[in-house]
């Protein structure tokens, strides 16, 4: 034993220090399963207050869950529970930002030039399947459920083009082995009378298999549901992938699953709804009240009954007749309005919104001006939050969308009887929050005055991807002609000889 260890042991004995014992047997019980969590996220996205109330009334209660605003049941339901709709707005705006920056896909030939015939073919396929709409719905489902998969299908009786659908993670499951994707299952519910059945469509390399299960999970014959009687396992040519998984963030709770953008944010949404509901309740309770002596209330001349005060929206409280004729006890109508602390509610509301958007979006992206007094640098940093989230999604789409386009074209080759080719398109997204046209022209003019940009660079910077390469080349040539710049071929050795 070393000298330091002997000294340490003697000091522990002298001070009677007992080493800590390892604690074992810690058990953490998950309050929700993945399916319940996906349903909860779907309800938050739908944004219906009645559905939220029903959801939290049926979710098994926990010590933390029972105290949530939507799970609490006030006596007599006197509190109006209002939903702000912010969760749905976050997803819709973020999906719109990404789809709005989508510049499309292009195919190049072996020489690196645009393949016009293939680009025209992809344009036809894209229009036939409404590709931008499918992409936007895929982004919504991915953000809400955490991920999902694209499914390429075909039916020659309906269309000569293959179809494209996206299934969220509540209706799909990705199978992996040693880190590699081995297949994707798509789940669809069918009802036969009062009995529910679930069809699992397993897409794996070389095959498409169908399994029908009853409510207990037991496999049954496909003919049990008449509309599925014609389904049978279908072989697929090697190399064709008909299911492409799509996830952006990985879940820390469920292996192989994606993480929803609502993860760890539902409590913040619940708090925001509570503050908004309390604010509305305070406004309702803070209405103007009129205290009218009984003798001053109009009476019905025929029956002698008290009549309503003839004023639109007027409420009053009847009080006893005053004793005196003058002073504080004289007959008069008193108007009282409670003092509502609007500033306190506003500050709480802003803080709750900040918690809901933290790490996802900038308030400015939603048109919320809660940082009017912030510095310019702070506003730019807040705006960058939306850019970070958007760039994370587009980086994943740049890898997934070319696989989707290649799968669609390969399936079209197969069902049309053409040789199956390989396709390697490239996808591009525009710059987020790019300056407007006037700002770009002003900046380029300053750079041109300093001689820091060529004519080609200026034209490309001004027009970006809004114009084709041919148009920009003609524009460069026109500008050079107007400036008197001529381009000639470089002379070779011997050209100076007669």
């Amino acid at each position: 034993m070393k000298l330091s260890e002997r000294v340490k042991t003697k000091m522990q004995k002298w001070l009677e220090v007992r080493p800590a014992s390892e604690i074992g047997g810690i058990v953490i019980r998950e309050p929700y399963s993945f399916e319940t969590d996906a349903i909860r996220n779907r309800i938050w996205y739908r944004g219906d207050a009645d559905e939220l109330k029903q959801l939290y009334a049926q979710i098994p209660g926990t010590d933390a869950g029972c105290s949530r605003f939507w799970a609490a049941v006030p006596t007599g339901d006197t509190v109006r529970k209002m939903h702000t709709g912010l969760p749905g707005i976050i997803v819709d705006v973020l999906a719109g930002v990404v789809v709005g920056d989508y510049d499309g896909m292009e195919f190049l030939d072996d020489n690196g030039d645009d393949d016009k015939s293939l680009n025209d073919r992809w344009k036809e396929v894209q229009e036939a399947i409404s590709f931008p709409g499918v992409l936007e719905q895929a982004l919504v489902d991915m953000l809400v459920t955490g991920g999902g998969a694209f499914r390429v299908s075909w039916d020659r009786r309906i269309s000569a083009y293959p179809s494209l659908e996206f299934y969220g993670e509540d209706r799909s499951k990705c199978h992996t082995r040693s880190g590699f994707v081995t297949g994707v299952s798509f789940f669809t519910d069918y009802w036969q009378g009062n009995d529910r059945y679930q069809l699992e469509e397993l897409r794996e390399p070389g095959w498409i298999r169908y399994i029908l299960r009853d409510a207990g999970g037991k496999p049954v014959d496909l003919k049990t549901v008449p509309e599925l009687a014609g389904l049978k396992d279908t072989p697929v040519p090697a190399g064709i992938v008909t299911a492409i998984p799509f996830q952006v963030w990985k879940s820390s709770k469920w292996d192989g699953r994606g993480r929803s953008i609502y993860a760890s944010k539902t409590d913040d949404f619940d708090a925001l709804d509570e503050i908004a509901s309390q604010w509305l309740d305070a406004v309702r309770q803070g209405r103007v009240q009129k205290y009218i002596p009984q003798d001053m209330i109009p009476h019905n001349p025929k029956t002698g009954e008290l009549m309503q005060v003839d004023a639109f929206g007027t409420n009053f409280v009847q009080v006893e007749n005053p004793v005196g004729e003058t002073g504080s006890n004289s007959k008069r109508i008193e108007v009282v309005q409670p003092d509502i602390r609007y500033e306190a509610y506003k500050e709480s509301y802003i803080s709750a919104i900040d918690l809901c958007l933290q790490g996802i979006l900038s308030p400015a992206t939603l048109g919320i001006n809660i940082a009017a007094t912030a510095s310019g640098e702070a506003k730019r940093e807040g705006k960058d939050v939306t850019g970070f989230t958007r760039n994370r999604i587009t980086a994943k789409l740049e890898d997934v969308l070319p696989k989707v386009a290649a799968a669609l074209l390969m399936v079209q080759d197969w069902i049309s009887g053409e040789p199956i080719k390989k396709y390697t398109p490239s996808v591009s997204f525009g710059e987020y929050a790019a300056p407007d046209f006037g700002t770009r022209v002003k900046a380029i003019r300053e750079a041109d005055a300093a001689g820091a940009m060529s004519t080609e660079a200026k034209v490309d910077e001004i027009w970006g991807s809004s114009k084709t390469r041919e148009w920009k080349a003609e524009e460069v040539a026109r500008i050079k002609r107007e400036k008197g710049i001529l381009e000639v071929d470089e002379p070779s050795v011997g050209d100076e000889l007669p």
Side-chain angles (χ1 to χ4, degrees):
M1 181 182 295
K2 296 181 180 179
L3 177 61
S4 60
E5 295 179 353
R6 290 201 300 268
V7 173
K8 180 180 178 181
T9 303
K10 289 184 178 296
M11 288 294 294
Q12 287 180 343
K13 291 181 179 179
W14 180 63
L15 295 174
E16 296 184 358
V17 177
R18 297 180 181 179
S21 60
E22 296 183 1
I23 301 176
I26 297 178
V27 178
I28 303 297
R29 184 175 62 88
E30 293 181 350
Y32 311 126
S33 64
F34 173 79
E35 288 75 14
T36 304
D37 187 72
I39 293 173
R40 182 182 61 169
N41 293 337
R42 287 279 190 187
I43 298 300
W44 275 110
Y45 172 73
R46 289 159 67 98
D48 191 290
D50 291 333
E51 292 181 352
L52 282 168
K53 185 176 180 180
Q54 296 178 46
L55 170 71
Y56 279 91
Q58 298 179 46
I59 290 179
T62 59
D63 293 340
C66 293
S67 60
R68 291 187 176 94
F69 173 68
W70 284 105
V73 182
T75 304
D77 290 339
T78 56
V79 177
R80 176 187 173 184
K81 293 188 175 184
M82 185 184 73
H83 179 56
T84 60
L86 185 63
I89 295 174
I90 290 174
V91 169
D92 290 339
V93 169
L94 189 54
V97 167
V98 176
V99 174
D101 290 341
Y102 172 66
D103 290 336
M105 280 182 277
E106 62 177 1
F107 296 80
L108 304 178
D109 56 19
D110 297 336
N111 297 325
D113 299 325
D114 290 338
D115 193 331
K116 189 176 184 305
S117 61
L118 197 53
N119 285 325
D120 292 341
R121 177 186 169 191
W122 166 246
K123 185 178 180 181
E124 293 178 1
V125 174
Q126 188 173 234
E127 292 177 352
I129 64 176
S130 301
F131 187 75
V134 177
L135 176 59
E136 185 172 5
Q137 186 59 45
L139 289 170
V140 169
D141 287 344
M142 181 277 297
L143 293 171
V144 173
T145 65
F150 290 94
R151 187 184 75 168
V152 180
S153 304
W154 56 92
D155 191 342
R156 299 285 293 178
R157 297 170 298 178
I158 300 176
S159 173
Y161 299 97
S163 62
L164 181 66
E165 299 172 286
F166 186 84
Y167 281 62
E169 283 217 331
D170 55 342
R171 299 191 300 149
S172 64
K173 184 177 181 181
C174 183
H175 305 284
T176 59
R177 183 182 303 167
S178 301
F180 294 94
V181 177
T182 58
V184 179
S185 293
F186 299 93
F187 302 97
T188 307
D189 292 337
Y190 290 90
W191 289 88
Q192 187 66 22
N194 295 326
D195 299 328
R196 184 178 69 89
Y197 298 92
Q198 186 179 73
L199 176 67
E200 177 184 359
E201 183 178 338
L202 177 59
R203 301 288 185 100
E204 55 186 4
W207 282 94
I208 299 178
R209 306 182 188 277
Y210 299 94
I211 304 173
L212 184 65
R213 295 184 176 89
D214 58 14
K218 182 180 178 182
V220 297
D221 192 350
L222 291 173
K223 296 181 181 179
T224 306
V225 179
E227 57 186 303
L228 303 178
L231 293 179
K232 60 181 180 179
D233 295 348
T234 305
V236 178
I240 295 183
V241 179
T242 59
I244 301 94
F246 176 39
Q247 294 177 351
V248 177
W249 299 278
K250 298 294 184 181
S251 174
S252 59
K253 297 179 66 175
W254 297 284
D255 292 337
R257 295 289 190 176
R259 176 167 61 87
S260 170
I261 204 170
Y262 294 158
S264 70
K265 289 293 183 181
T266 53
D267 284 346
D268 298 332
F269 298 147
D270 185 84
L272 179 63
D273 289 346
E274 182 174 3
I275 293 171
S277 299
Q278 287 180 349
W279 194 348
L280 180 63
D281 190 59
V283 172
R284 175 179 292 179
Q285 297 297 330
R287 294 176 179 173
V288 176
Q289 297 289 345
K290 292 185 178 180
Y291 294 85
I292 304 179
Q294 184 175 1
D295 292 347
M296 298 181 69
I297 301 176
H299 291 69
N300 190 325
K302 295 182 180 181
T303 62
E305 297 179 352
L306 298 177
M307 299 176 59
Q308 295 287 338
V309 178
D310 190 12
F312 177 76
T314 299
N315 295 324
F316 64 89
V317 177
Q318 175 183 330
V319 298
E320 296 296 333
N321 292 324
V323 178
E325 294 282 339
T326 61
S328 61
N329 291 329
S330 61
K331 293 183 179 180
R332 67 177 185 272
I333 298 176
E334 295 184 4
V335 180
V336 178
Q337 182 177 12
D339 184 17
I340 302 174
R341 301 181 61 185
Y342 289 99
E343 290 300 325
Y345 283 112
K346 182 179 179 180
E347 292 297 328
S348 300
Y349 184 76
I350 291 174
S351 300
I353 288 181
D354 191 29
L355 288 174
C356 294
L357 301 181
Q358 202 170 57
I360 301 177
L361 287 179
S362 167
T365 306
L366 302 180
I368 303 174
N369 186 19
I370 67 175
T373 60
S375 63
E377 184 178 356
K379 291 181 179 180
R380 286 192 297 271
E381 291 177 355
K383 191 175 183 180
D384 287 343
V385 175
T386 303
F388 292 150
T389 307
R390 176 258 186 200
N391 292 342
R392 183 74 180 270
I393 297 174
T394 55
K396 191 66 177 179
L397 286 175
E398 288 174 357
D399 177 60
V400 172
L401 291 185
K403 298 178 182 177
V404 174
L408 287 167
L409 295 179
M410 293 175 73
V411 169
Q412 187 184 27
D413 289 340
W414 176 42
I415 62 178
S416 301
E418 300 291 335
I420 301 175
K421 303 176 184 178
K422 291 186 178 181
Y423 303 92
T424 55
S426 60
V427 62
S428 61
F429 288 88
E431 182 181 356
Y432 172 69
D436 57 14
F437 184 80
T439 304
R440 292 199 302 270
V441 170
K442 182 179 178 181
I444 291 172
R445 186 184 299 117
E446 295 175 357
D448 185 40
M453 295 185 72
S454 64
T455 305
E456 291 81 359
K458 288 184 292 186
V459 171
D460 188 67
E461 184 67 25
I462 290 176
W463 300 106
S465 59
S466 61
K467 300 293 184 180
T468 62
R469 295 181 182 179
E470 293 78 7
W471 187 93
K472 287 188 285 188
E474 293 176 359
E475 182 70 6
V476 169
R478 182 189 65 80
I479 294 174
K480 288 183 176 181
R481 286 196 304 268
E482 292 180 355
K483 290 185 176 182
I485 302 175
L486 299 178
E487 293 184 353
V488 296
D489 296 334
E490 183 179 354
S492 60
V493 177
D495 287 348
E496 68 279 4
L497 297 177

